[in-house]
Every structure is written in structure tokens, then in C-alpha cells.
Amino acid sequence: MDEIPQAIVEGNSIAHNYETFAAYLQKAQTIFCDGEYVVISACGEERFLYAQLFDWAQRIIHFLQKVGRKRGDIILMDTLDVSSFIACFWACALGGFTFVPVPTVRDLDDKNAAVVRELWNKLGKQTIYTYNNKSILTQVLGETNAQVVSLSSSRNLPPCTEIYPAAPQDVLLLMMTSGTTGESKLAMHTQRTLIVPFADLDKRSTKKSYLYWHPLNHIAGMRLAVPHLHTKLYIPTDLLLEKPQLWLDSIHRYRVNTTVTSNFFLRHLLNSSSNLTKYKWDLSCVTSLSISGEAVNSRTAYDFYHALQPFGLKLQALLTGYGMTEMGNITITRVFSEKELQNPPKLIRAGKPSRTVSVRIVDGDDALLYEKTPGHIQVKSQGCIAGYYQEENDLLFTNDGWMRTGDLGFIDAGILYITGREKEVIIINAKNYNCNDIENAIDLDIIVCGLRRSSDDTDELIVFFECALDDKEYISQVKKRIKFQIQRRFVFTPLHIIPISTQEIPRTSTGKVQRNILQKQLQQGVFSDRCHKNEKECELIAPRSPLEESLCSIWQEVLGIEKVGIEDDFFALGGHSLSAVTLMVKIRQLLGIDEEDYEKLPLAMILTHPTIKQFVEAMNNLSTATSDIIIRMNTEVTDKPPIFLLHVAHVDPIVYRHLCKCLDGVVTTYTIRTEELDKLTSINETAQYHVAKIKKIQPTGPYYLGGMCMGGLVTYEVAQLLREQGDEVRLIFIMDTIHIPGMQKYKSRNKHKAKRWQRKIKNVYKVFELMGHVLTLDIGFIKQKFERARNNIKRSVLKISDPQTKLKKEMRNRLRIIRDNYNPQPHSGEIVYIRSEKEAGKYSAKRFEELATSVKCYQVEGTVHSDVSRPRFAEATARIIQKYFDHDEQNEPRKESTVEK
């Protein structure tokens, strides 16, 4: 067996044309003389040539010398005005000063005001320079002796032609950094460390455009100030957060090739863009879109790509970056693969180190570990900072010159994986849990942190979730859902689950969550009132009668959880359509109701009354509960015709639950109670039954119809019958109707053979892998494999006698007979076909094109039609349906669409 390699990747030292940033700057203003900056604002745009800014930089040197500043002095510069900021930075590089960017402050209530005062005090209350923000900065500092000087008069001075002969070790830049530690420090970048990432920029001949939006006091924003051949665009951060679509508008308008963003901003963009279809972006120009600044959430990256893929965004353009202020650049990148986007991994890989960076994984004593072993990440590069300003740097660097990053991870085959931060690990019952792992295990956007009391030897888990604080019903349901999911996936229960508004979440300038501030606020009692409410809202409401006690026991057995209260929602606790069938079977057995008399306790009751309290109340009035054959699934919208979601025998309306919830307030949705369909034996008979019931709710058209799987065939036939009766059918939505009578077998035998061989090769590989572990006596691995095999066999045995398995088999056989006996006729109207990413859906779309005059096909995330019952598929489908209702409401002509992801 091959020896496991050590967890280290060595970078290369490359030859540099320039020893200092000042030398590079002097050369750049001659070879990049036509380079320009474009600053985008709410009022329009401003353009600045490199030559103009270089001339102004020389005038600022003259100005600083005139007011008595000497080489090596610290120059604090306001970041509000972009052109003066860049010119002042260049002046410091050329004149031998140390440059310090000051965060932008627009008023006294600005969140950066406290940061500016902290920075000002840390550097001995030195003069702050600005261009047009003197009044606000003076008020923010709040002291009579505070000096704020405007650089506006520097334009009238002659340029200074004497350039300071800078040395590589001269400190050029102090960058304030805190990240998730909360301990403010000033990272010292020298003339040499700043130029390392850009050593070969003057050799690049292809002109591109770069778009930046990070704050200029952040390392990603400072890259704007490095001139090269390309056009550089900048959008102020606060403007972009207010209008996130401006980012994509600018990429489209200026044909941007490279841009950098963050996980937080992508989620903010998606949440604030409910309907992207109205935009006409062309994003095919993007060749590099790097997601950095914080841990990349695979779910966010997945949603972002699929939302923008219709606009031409290429998969290979998506990169993820790993870096820090101390490195001066994003040091590690990798491209998202097709496989990762189809099956988003919980652990995001960071990729291979760049050519100038070395990375290693060590234990707590700085001893080198082996590959695949998690540990502390350390890096070495010529681009690393010289240290922290006026701080002890013994803890930053090891004795052999490696820099401690404070991050955790491992290396596998030369690829770095990030598992979290050293200070973002929660220790619960002597076991380590990374905050990101817990957050990624929950299907909601949450923030977690640990809280340890002085008397305890373990952390308590605290969960925050973002929401509107006045939506009490939503808050209560989400708390129960989070608590249930954490209990099910882990072996502990959160101490507090706290709702928090967007404005209350402490973030860095790039959107990174500052957990340490949340912990301090918890200790200070900021959320004490919500913690008290949390305990009450998550408290289980005990049963009030023997019947409710019995129903709680059945709920717990079917859902597989320890305790259930009478106000807990069956579906919020993980219930689905098949488990609802099992639940109703057990309840009928409890009440002595024969299965043939299901009308006395219909399946639809659990859909309309999902809590035990509601269910018992409905049972007390069964005549009312069973009289509604057609069920309204959401709030009634009176100014639009409803949409009817249809299905076949043994397929209950629960599958449409999430879709109807997403369409709440957009359009009224109706479906038909399952038991009414069970005796129907053909598509035509089922369609006639649906038409009769639909007419009772909506006597005349226009009709909107929808159906999933075989319900799509029912929808198709209902539309035919309504048209034969002279009614208008405006539109039919068909979701993943895969097998249609008369459909060609498009899949080739070769493809089936290839898949079989892939499975065989995979099984052979697993055998060799197991043999390898046997030979190396890896007892833990062998035990794990046999335990898994034993559990699989046990599950298979139990599955044979499982009533749900029998029900599935019976249902499939009956539906297959019904489908095969159906003969669809040509359709003269329009069909909207919504398919999941599963390959089979493509072939049925071709069959619909043979039958209908117009077919619009959309592709959304998911694997086969069962995903329509899941929130993400339902949200995407609801957006498509809403788009058509909006078009009809505005009487706009519909535009051709191909595939939407």
C-alpha cells in the first residue's frame, strides 16, 4: 500500500520585475496610460484616466510636504470619494508615507462611526484627510482638538517630481482587520507584499473589465487601487446593498469580465429579487466570478447559479476564493463542478493553492499532519504581512516562518478543504461541532453560536434565524421546525432559538457574520425577552384528553420523534404524503373505522387540520369535514381566476401543499379530495369527474389548470373536454409528466449498458477499497462498513412488511394500467411544461410538442416529479406560474422562453 503523504503543498517563488509598489506604479502610468476608472453612482458615472490620477498623486505629495508631513508618517484617508482615495494612496506609495484607509461615514448614526473613532484613537488621534466629508468626520470624532483636513486645495499645487526611493520592507499600508475574532488589529503591508500578487500584470496583453464593490477599507476593495491594462469599475457598497440588481445591470452594461462577491451578498440578491424574468441581462461576458470573504454556502451558490444561468452565466466562471487581509489577495480558488451543483456538497473545497503560496496542516503543537487529517491551516508566501502594528506577533508566526490563519481544514490530493474557524467550534458533551456544519444541516438560513456559563463544562447551542419580528405565527412554527431538525440530526437540543431582524445581525463590511458580537449581546441580556418567549413558544402543549394522548402517541410513532404537542404541525415536523397515509390508517384503527368506510375520516382532514388540536375539533364535526369535495388550498384571491391542481387515484393533494403556499396571495388554488377519485379507473373518466367539480366552483372560463406526473395527463384531458364544451382554457401547466402513451423510447440501449458498467466498476472499486482497509487493519473503517450493511439488511426485511411499501406497489400497478389505456388527442392550445433536471423529463417534452401547437419548456431544480412536494422545487415552479398570471393581468404578449433554472 502507498504511504499516506503529508498535508503540505509547496508554492514556488517567482521572479518579480518590481521590488516595490512605487516602482510598479511609475512604470504603470506609462504603459497603461489609456487605463481608466469608472465610478458608478445613483446619479450616473464618473470616469478618471490613470494619467490624471497619477498627476493628482504628485500634487498630493506636494500638499503633504507643505503641511509638514515627513516620510514614514501615517496618513489616514477617508474613503467616501473614490478618485481622491486612489490618488492619495498612490501619493503615499510614491512619497514614502504609510497609508491608512478610514471607513466611509455618511452621518452620525452610521455604523462605521464607532469604527472610525476606534481607529483614530488607536493611531494617536492623528489628522484625517478627506476630499468632501470634513464636516461629518469632525462631528463623528467629537473632540475640539480633532483635525480633519480637505485635500481639495492640493489640485492647485504643482506636482512633486521627486519620487521617494522606497525599499521593499517599507510599510506602505495599514489595514484594519477583525474578521470573526472581534479583536481589531492593523495588518502591516510593505511595498513588497502588496506587489507580489500582481507581479506579472504588465505582461498581460488582453484588455478586460473588472467590477469591484467591496468597501475601500477592505483588502478586496484596495485591489481597485492597483492600476493595470484593464478598465476598473466601482460601485459604492451601500448603494449596492440598497439596489443589489445594480451589480448585474453593470455587468451587462459594461461587459464585465471579472468580479468578486460574497456569500452574504448573493443571498441578499436572491432574497430581494422575487422576479428576475423581467430583466434582459446578458451575463455571457463573465469569465471569473469569485465568491469569497466568508465560508461559501453550497445551497446559496446552487440557487444563484440556477437563477442566473438563463441569462448566460457560465458554470466555469464561478470560482470560490480563500484568503485574508493578512495575505493581501485571494490565495486559493477553484471552479464549481457540474457534479457539485447537481448534488451540493456540505463541505466546500477551497481548491489548489496559487503558485506563490505554500499551505500546510498541523496539530496544536505545529507538528505536520498527514493528508485527510483535519487540523490548523498555516500558510507561507512573499505576500504575507510583516505583522500587526504595535502588537506582539509571536502568536501570528511559527518559529519556522509559517503564518497561523486561525482556520481549520485538511488537504486531500493537494486540494485544501476548509472546515471552519478555530473560534467557531462549539463543544457540546465533549464533542466538537463546527458552526457551519450545523447551519448547513438545516434547510433554513440560520446562524449558530455557543454560549458557556462559568459553572458549566460544555457549551449550549444558540440558534438565530432572520425574520420579521411581528410575524408571531411564522416565528412559532419556524422555532419548532428548527428544534425538530436539530434534535433529529444531532444528539442535543438548542438552549435558545431566537428570531432576529436583518438590521440586528452584526456583520463585517463584506457581510461576514460576527458571532462573537452575538455572544456578547447574549451575555449582556440583549435578547433576554426573546429567550423567555422562545421557551414558552417551543414548550409542548400537553394533551387534554385520552383521545389526544392516543393521537400524540400515533404522531410520535409515524414521525419517529420523542414528543409531540397538540399544536405541532404534522408537516412542519417532517410529515409527507405517504406518512400521512400511514397516520390515517392508524387513526382509523384506533377509532375502529373500517378502511372501506374511509369517508368517515378522509385523508384530506390531515391536510386541512395538520395539528392534533385542529384534527380533534374537525372530528367533532365530521359532516362538515367530509362535505368539501373540492379543497381550497390557500387564501382566496378574488380579482383573478383560480388555478385547479389535478391528480389521479391514490395520489393525494398533499403533494401540492408547498406549491399552494408559494402561490398564496398570487392566485387561489383548488384541488379535489383523494378518496373521491379512488373508484375511477381511467384518465377519461377521471377527467370527466374533475370537469363536473370544477364547474361548480368556476362555471365559465378562462380556466387555468395544472397537474403533476400522471395528474398532467388528467390536466391535458380536462382541457380537451372543457374546450369541446366551448369554454376557454387560458393555460395548462404540466409538471414532470414523464411517461406519455405513444412516446418514443428515446433512450438508447448503449446508454443503459454504459450505466450498468459504471455500477459494476464502482462496486469493484468498493471491494478493493475494503480489501485495502482490511490489509492495513483499519478496524474502525471495517466495523463501520459492516454496521452499515447490517442496517441495510434490517431495513430491507422491515420494508417487505411495511404498509407504505405495499401501498406504493399497489398504487404503481394501478396507475400503470390507467396510463397505458389512455390515448391522448392533439391539443390546439398552449402548454407550459415544467420539468426537473432529471433526464427523463426531456423526452416527454418532445411528446407534448408532437401533440400541442405551442409548448414552453422550463427546467427547475429537482430529481423527478416527487420534488414538487419540496420547498425549493415549489418556489421555482410558483415563480413560473406567477409570471404567466402577471402577463395575463397586464395583457402583455408572452415572450418565448426555453429553459429556466
Side-chain angles (χ1 to χ4, degrees):
M1 300 294 291
D2 294 335
E3 186 179 349
I4 301 175
Q6 291 184 314
I8 184 170
V9 179
E10 297 279 4
N12 301 316
S13 58
I14 61 173
H16 294 275
N17 295 337
Y18 310 99
E19 287 295 316
T20 65
F21 185 80
Y24 172 79
L25 198 58
Q26 293 176 71
K27 184 69 174 177
Q29 65 96 18
T30 57
I31 61 177
F32 303 143
C33 56
D34 60 341
E36 67 172 346
Y37 287 101
V38 180
V39 180
I40 301 165
S41 67
C43 303
E45 65 176 44
E46 287 183 277
R47 293 178 178 264
F48 309 98
L49 293 174
Y50 289 172
Q52 294 173 323
L53 293 179
F54 191 84
D55 178 73
W56 192 7
Q58 292 176 304
R59 296 173 192 270
I60 291 176
I61 296 174
H62 192 164
F63 176 86
L64 294 174
Q65 292 172 346
K66 188 177 179 180
V67 296
R69 306 314 299 266
K70 300 176 182 178
R71 290 170 182 172
D73 282 357
I74 289 176
I75 305 298
L76 286 88
M77 181 62 195
D78 175 38
T79 56
L80 180 62
D81 181 74
V82 178
S83 58
S84 62
F85 173 85
I86 295 172
C88 186
F89 175 61
W90 290 2
C92 290
L94 298 169
F97 305 105
T98 300
F99 183 80
V100 184
V102 177
T104 299
V105 179
R106 297 184 182 275
D107 54 56
L108 294 178
D109 297 326
D110 196 305
K111 65 178 183 179
N112 284 331
V115 181
V116 171
R117 285 192 292 269
E118 181 188 359
L119 178 62
W120 184 61
N121 287 315
K122 201 176 187 73
L123 292 173
K125 300 184 178 181
Q126 299 198 36
T127 303
I128 295 181
Y129 294 91
T130 183
Y131 185 71
N132 54 4
N133 202 25
K134 181 177 179 179
S135 175
I136 295 295
L137 283 170
T138 304
Q139 295 177 58
V140 166
L141 297 179
E143 295 187 16
T144 53
N145 62 343
Q147 292 188 348
V148 180
V149 176
S150 173
L151 291 177
S152 57
S153 60
S154 64
R155 289 182 178 275
N156 302 323
L157 296 174
C160 175
T161 55
E162 182 185 356
I163 303 299
Y164 170 72
Q169 68 273 16
D170 290 346
V171 177
L172 171 56
L173 176 66
L174 298 181
M175 290 289 296
M176 198 170 190
T177 177
S178 60
T180 55
T181 65
E183 301 169 5
S184 298
K185 307 181 190 72
L186 289 167
M188 296 189 296
H189 280 287
T190 65
Q191 290 270 358
R192 179 62 182 272
T193 60
L194 275 179
I195 197 58
V196 167
F198 310 103
D200 61 348
L201 276 180
D202 59 339
K203 298 176 183 178
R204 302 178 190 178
S205 57
T206 305
K207 189 167 183 177
K208 297 180 179 179
S209 57
Y210 282 60
L211 175 60
Y212 300 86
W213 62 264
H214 287 79
L216 295 175
N217 59 301
H218 186 271
I219 193 64
M222 278 301 302
R223 295 181 69 188
L224 177 73
V226 180
H228 48 72
L229 179 65
H230 317 303
T231 299
K232 293 200 163 191
L233 301 101
Y234 182 74
I235 305 174
T237 309
D238 51 356
L239 174 62
L240 202 64
L241 293 177
E242 183 182 345
K243 300 178 179 179
Q245 293 83 5
L246 183 60
W247 182 54
L248 299 173
D249 285 337
S250 301
I251 291 175
H252 167 76
R253 178 183 174 189
Y254 296 97
R255 312 309 298 150
V256 170
N257 306 114
T258 301
T259 187
V260 180
T261 187
S262 68
N263 195 77
F264 155 72
F265 179 74
L266 295 186
R267 179 52 59 190
H268 174 60
L269 172 69
L270 293 171
N271 290 341
S272 59
S273 306
S274 57
N275 185 15
L276 293 176
T277 56
K278 62 183 179 181
Y279 296 101
K280 304 293 186 290
W281 296 316
D282 176 11
L283 306 182
S284 59
C285 54
V286 179
T287 56
S288 172
L289 194 156
S290 182
I291 309 169
S292 58
E294 60 178 330
V296 177
N297 184 292
S298 59
R299 187 166 59 244
T300 300
Y302 186 102
D303 292 344
F304 171 73
Y305 172 70
H306 284 294
L308 295 184
Q309 191 272 342
F311 300 101
L313 181 64
K314 303 182 188 75
L315 178 61
Q316 58 267 33
L318 287 181
L319 310 173
T320 184
Y322 168 69
M324 58 206 72
T325 300
E326 291 82 354
M327 289 292 291
N329 192 20
I330 296 173
T331 56
I332 301 172
T333 59
R334 74 107 171 94
V335 180
F336 285 136
S337 69
E338 190 79 45
K339 183 179 178 181
E340 284 177 320
L341 284 173
Q342 288 179 353
N343 303 289
K346 291 184 178 179
L347 186 63
I348 294 290
R349 60 177 185 174
K352 291 185 178 180
S354 61
R355 54 182 178 166
T356 62
V357 179
S358 298
V359 179
R360 71 179 185 181
I361 308 297
V362 298
D363 62 14
D365 298 321
D366 294 332
L368 192 61
L369 297 173
Y370 289 98
E371 284 200 356
K372 300 183 181 180
T373 305
H376 303 269
I377 301 174
Q378 296 181 353
V379 295
K380 183 187 283 188
S381 169
Q382 294 175 326
C384 284
I385 61 170
Y388 293 122
Y389 180 73
Q390 293 183 347
E391 300 275 353
E392 292 290 335
N393 292 301
D394 294 342
L395 296 178
L396 179 62
F397 295 102
T398 63
N399 294 331
D400 52 351
W402 288 80
M403 189 181 81
R404 298 183 175 97
T405 65
D407 292 320
L408 303 173
F410 63 91
I411 291 174
D412 183 9
I415 303 295
L416 177 66
Y417 291 80
I418 310 296
T419 58
R421 294 279 300 172
E422 292 176 15
K423 296 192 177 183
E424 290 186 357
V425 172
I426 303 172
I427 304 173
I428 300 177
N429 300 329
K431 187 174 181 181
N432 293 357
Y433 296 90
N434 189 270
C435 292
N436 289 328
D437 292 341
I438 299 174
E439 290 169 354
N440 290 334
I442 308 303
D443 63 2
L444 293 163
D445 289 327
I446 62 171
I447 302 166
V448 303
C449 63
L451 184 66
R452 179 175 296 198
R453 300 185 181 93
S454 56
S455 58
D456 293 343
D457 58 356
T458 186
D459 292 331
E460 294 284 1
L461 179 68
I462 311 296
V463 180
F464 294 87
F465 66 96
E466 188 178 341
C467 67
L469 297 180
D470 57 350
D471 193 345
K472 294 181 180 179
E473 185 179 348
Y474 174 78
I475 289 173
S476 177
Q477 289 298 328
V478 169
K479 283 180 178 180
K480 291 175 182 176
R481 184 174 171 186
I482 291 172
K483 183 179 179 181
F484 163 73
Q485 291 193 21
I486 290 177
Q487 285 176 333
R488 197 165 196 173
R489 287 168 173 77
F490 304 97
V491 291
F492 49 80
T493 300
L495 177 65
H496 298 303
I497 303 173
I498 304 172
I500 188 170
S501 65
T502 305
Q503 295 76 19
E504 291 177 307
I505 300 175
R507 296 183 182 273
T508 64
S509 56
T510 56
K512 188 187 298 183
V513 175
Q514 295 175 302
R515 302 178 203 274
N516 64 296
I517 295 180
L518 285 174
Q519 288 172 323
K520 289 177 182 176
Q521 290 175 338
L522 274 167
Q523 292 166 344
Q524 294 165 1
V526 174
F527 305 107
S528 57
D529 58 331
R530 297 180 212 174
C531 292
H532 181 65
K533 288 179 184 177
N534 168 64
E535 291 167 5
K536 284 190 172 183
E537 288 169 357
C538 283
E539 188 178 321
L540 296 176
I541 309 300
R544 303 161 299 179
S545 67
L547 175 59
E548 288 183 347
E549 284 182 12
S550 300
L551 290 176
C552 283
S553 300
I554 293 173
W555 245 259
Q556 288 161 196
E557 181 186 348
V558 172
L559 292 171
I561 58 179
E562 256 183 66
K563 290 184 179 180
V564 172
I566 62 171
E567 292 187 357
D568 290 342
D569 188 299
F570 177 78
F571 299 102
L573 294 178
H576 50 78
S577 57
L578 283 174
S579 59
V581 172
T582 305
L583 179 80
M584 295 306 296
V585 168
K586 291 182 179 294
I587 293 175
R588 288 172 189 143
Q589 289 173 353
L590 172 70
L591 300 175
I593 299 174
D594 193 73
E595 280 300 310
E596 294 179 1
D597 297 326
Y598 57 74
E599 283 285 346
K600 294 180 180 178
L601 202 66
L603 180 61
M605 273 187 64
I606 190 60
L607 177 65
T608 53
H609 306 90
T611 70
I612 291 174
K613 184 179 178 180
Q614 294 170 347
F615 194 86
V616 171
E617 289 172 357
M619 284 174 59
N620 295 331
N621 191 5
L622 280 176
S623 59
T624 303
T626 57
S627 61
D628 296 329
I629 294 172
I630 294 190
I631 305 169
R632 179 162 56 83
M633 304 281 284
N634 57 10
T635 309
E636 187 171 9
V637 179
T638 56
D639 60 342
K640 297 177 186 175
I643 181 171
F644 295 90
L645 299 175
L646 313 179
H647 50 96
V648 291
H650 287 300
V651 179
D652 57 81
I654 292 172
V655 296
Y656 294 122
R657 188 168 183 267
H658 283 300
L659 178 59
C660 297
K661 189 175 180 181
C662 294
L663 291 171
D664 193 37
V666 177
V667 60
T668 311
T669 55
Y670 288 97
T671 186
I672 295 179
R673 206 173 68 223
T674 305
E675 288 88 350
E676 293 294 323
L677 302 172
D678 283 352
K679 297 173 184 177
L680 305 177
T681 57
S682 70
I683 295 291
N684 304 79
E685 190 180 354
T686 304
Q688 290 170 9
Y689 180 85
H690 276 90
V691 169
K693 303 306 176 187
I694 289 171
K695 287 279 191 177
K696 289 184 178 180
I697 298 294
Q698 186 185 351
T700 59
Y703 291 102
Y704 290 84
L705 309 170
M708 177 204 73
C709 190
M710 278 188 62
L713 299 182
V714 174
T715 303
Y716 185 88
E717 187 62 24
V718 167
Q720 298 285 66
L721 293 175
L722 287 171
R723 282 204 170 94
E724 288 174 9
Q725 296 176 14
D727 291 306
E728 178 190 359
V729 177
R730 185 72 56 84
L731 208 60
I732 60 176
F733 299 91
I734 294 178
M735 294 165 277
D736 261 332
T737 300
I738 296 174
H739 299 289
I740 308 167
M743 186 173 78
Q744 286 180 264
K745 298 295 182 182
Y746 291 96
K747 280 194 174 182
S748 66
R749 291 180 63 189
N750 290 336
K751 190 170 289 187
H752 284 299
K753 284 182 180 178
K755 286 192 174 183
R756 281 199 299 271
W757 275 106
Q758 284 175 3
R759 285 195 294 270
K760 288 178 180 178
I761 292 170
K762 191 175 180 180
N763 291 335
V764 170
Y765 172 79
K766 285 182 177 179
V767 170
F768 277 104
E769 183 187 31
L770 181 60
M771 287 173 61
H773 285 280
V774 170
L775 292 174
T776 56
L777 296 177
D778 191 343
I779 304 300
F781 178 86
I782 298 168
K783 188 176 179 181
Q784 179 188 4
K785 287 291 183 184
F786 278 107
E787 184 69 23
R788 188 177 297 174
R790 189 172 70 88
N791 290 336
N792 288 339
I793 294 169
K794 186 178 178 182
R795 264 197 301 270
S796 299
V797 172
L798 291 173
K799 202 172 181 181
I800 296 171
S801 58
D802 184 15
Q804 289 192 23
T805 305
K806 292 180 179 178
L807 180 65
K808 278 184 184 179
K809 190 173 181 181
E810 178 189 336
M811 184 174 68
R812 285 199 189 100
N813 291 335
R814 184 171 177 187
L815 293 181
R816 191 178 293 114
I817 294 169
I818 292 174
R819 181 197 68 210
D820 293 343
N821 290 332
Y822 176 55
N823 181 27
Q825 300 301 310
H827 178 73
S828 59
E830 181 179 0
I831 292 177
V832 175
Y833 185 75
I834 303 169
R835 69 176 186 238
S836 62
E837 292 172 334
K838 191 77 173 180
E839 189 179 14
K842 299 176 183 178
Y843 308 120
S844 46
K846 294 179 181 178
R847 174 60 173 150
F848 277 119
E849 287 171 3
E850 296 169 3
L851 291 168
T853 54
S854 174
V855 177
K856 304 257 176 60
C857 186
Y858 293 85
Q859 183 168 305
V860 296
E861 174 198 349
T863 53
V864 202
H865 52 270
S866 60
D867 276 359
V868 77
S869 60
R870 298 178 185 174
R872 200 177 292 179
F873 186 105
E875 288 166 11
T877 305
R879 283 197 295 269
I880 297 169
I881 294 174
Q882 182 180 353
K883 180 182 73 169
Y884 279 90
F885 272 92
D886 291 343
H887 277 304
D888 287 350
E889 187 178 12
Q890 299 165 11
N891 293 319
E892 295 179 8
R894 299 202 186 101
K895 299 173 179 61
E896 290 293 328
S897 303
T898 52
V899 176
E900 178 167 309
K901 287 192 177 184

